[in-house]
Amino acid sequence: FMTTALEKIREAARESGFGDCGIIAPERLDEFTGAAKRRMANVPESAGFYQGLLGMADVRSRFPWAKSLVVCTYEFGRFRYPAELRGRYAKSFFSHQKMAEPMASIAQVSKLG
């Protein structure tokens, strides 16, 4: 069952534009939380970025019933900017708002499992 459900979810993620996806236990985000806190301590300028992510990483308090998480990846490096813009732009991460529609599609498939 798990393989079939994962295959359906992965296919939906790729059809929605994600590079890949996997399923993890919520406890795995503890590793991210520790790494983000170390990063903020070592590079204080990054605190604004990581502080926002830490709130999203607290899955167990927000969704205590969650037994697993679907994690989707997106390859940001595939975008190429015109040469005349190099040095005049900054790449940024897509906000979770822009990902809402693709994620809803993946959530629908995961309910089929």
Side-chain angles (χ1 to χ4, degrees), residues 4-89:
T4 304
L6 177 56
E7 289 169 358
K8 288 179 182 177
I9 292 169
R10 183 172 279 149
E11 182 180 335
R14 288 182 178 153
E15 288 174 1
S16 297
F18 291 100
D20 202 358
C21 76
I23 297 176
I24 65 169
E27 296 78 31
R28 294 286 310 273
L29 288 180
D30 293 343
E31 296 171 35
F32 167 78
T33 300
K37 288 180 179 179
R38 285 190 300 278
R39 176 73 174 169
M40 288 189 295
N42 293 333
V43 184
E45 300 83 15
S46 69
F49 174 76
Y50 286 105
Q51 198 62 45
L53 294 179
L54 287 176
M56 291 188 288
D58 190 16
V59 174
R60 282 175 286 195
S61 69
R62 294 172 55 205
F63 307 103
W65 46 263
K67 295 180 182 160
S68 58
L69 304 171
V70 175
V71 178
C72 296
T73 61
Y74 194 85
E75 186 180 343
F76 291 102
R78 70 180 179 184
F79 296 104
R80 301 289 179 245
Y81 292 91
E84 63 270 13
L85 292 180
R86 291 192 186 132
R88 298 176 183 259
Y89 65 89

Side-chain angles (χ1 to χ4, degrees), residues 9 12-13 15-16 99-111:
I9 292 169
E15 288 174 1
S16 297
M99 293 289 132
E101 186 177 321
M103 292 305 293
S105 170
I106 294 166
Q108 193 63 29
V109 170
S110 66
K111 289 178 185 176

